[in-house]
Amino acid sequence: MLLGSIEAGGTKFICAVGNEKYETIDCERIPTTTPDETLEKAVNYFKKFKDLKSISISSFGPIELRKNDKKYGYITETPKIGWSDVNFLGTMKQHFDLPIYWTTDVNGSVYGEYINLHAKNNAINSIVYYTIGTGVGAGVIFNNKFLGDLGHPEMGHIKLKRHPDDLDFDGICPYHKDCLEGLVAGPTFEARLGKKGFEVPITNHVWDIMAYYVAQAALQSTLTIRPSRIIFGGGVVNEKFLDKIRFEFTKMMNGYVNVGNIKDYIQKPSISGNGSATIGNFALAKSLLS
């Protein structure tokens, strides 16, 4: 049995084929250019595999998840130039008479982490996964199911209390300015300092400011959802940054609720090599066959 995965990001598509044990057999990275060019390459990739049984797509967004909506399967109003109002799922269905799962990029990642962590400890039934990179998003598994009804959670756009040393920075989100994404996404380094994030030493105070914001997001998730784990992935996240987040979170929580070992509770992805979404997609693709 072969299962297909598309992790569709704003800079690249990671297309992969795996088996029912969620082991990757083949993988190809496709640059995200125009919708026509990118989707054509994705289609051609999967056409090479004659025994493919199902596919799961986890896409950047916003996307339409409501199956009763006429734009189900579309990328909707996205900041990614040229990709608004693209019928992603419909395009794939034109070429493949297969079951296809459709969800967000962070839902793919959180599901992969859920599969991996739940297998090791079946008491882990609720997970929040934040990705902090070019943008900020979150996926939530709550009591073994995705959270979201009218649409997927947009937890990257929550409003925050501003850090007293950051009041002059407007934020970069085109919709909200100083939401979580607008204050901590990767491009905020250039907006504040004129440098890429990897050029900014962890000793720079901007990391403390960003940890203050991310810790607020973790605090809100904890007090609202009470998950077993909060996981932070994406290009901005490193272990020293996580330590700063844990410090700020602990200070903000002030002993109100016990989350156990803070290094277990707030952690990096358990699946190495940015593979959470691919594993999640394989599992979601397999779920369509049961």
Side-chain angles (χ1 to χ4, degrees), residues 162 166-173 176-179 182-183:
R162 296 299 300 267
D166 197 42
L167 299 179
D168 293 334
F169 180 57
D170 288 340
I172 65 167
C173 174
H176 312 116
K177 292 292 187 181
D178 63 348
C179 61
L183 294 172

Side-chain angles (χ1 to χ4, degrees), residues 116-215:
N116 192 47
L117 293 172
H118 185 77
K120 297 174 182 177
N121 181 353
N122 61 16
I124 296 177
N125 298 317
S126 298
I127 299 173
V128 178
Y129 184 107
Y130 286 93
T131 184
I132 306 176
T134 305
V136 178
V140 181
I141 295 288
F142 182 72
N143 287 343
N144 307 308
K145 297 180 180 179
F146 286 122
L147 189 67
D149 188 5
L150 293 179
H152 51 83
E154 285 288 353
M155 294 160 66
H157 293 270
I158 60 169
K159 301 293 283 185
L160 304 162
K161 180 180 178 180
R162 296 299 300 267
H163 192 288
D165 297 338
D166 197 42
L167 299 179
D168 293 334
F169 180 57
D170 288 340
I172 65 167
C173 174
Y175 296 99
H176 312 116
K177 292 292 187 181
D178 63 348
C179 61
L180 179 63
E181 179 172 290
L183 294 172
V184 305
T188 61
F189 286 104
E190 288 188 84
R192 286 189 176 96
L193 304 173
K195 298 178 180 180
K196 300 282 189 183
F198 67 85
E199 300 175 309
V200 180
I202 197 68
T203 52
N204 191 299
H205 186 43
V206 73
W207 286 102
D208 302 311
I209 291 170
M210 291 170 62
Y212 177 80
Y213 295 135
V214 176

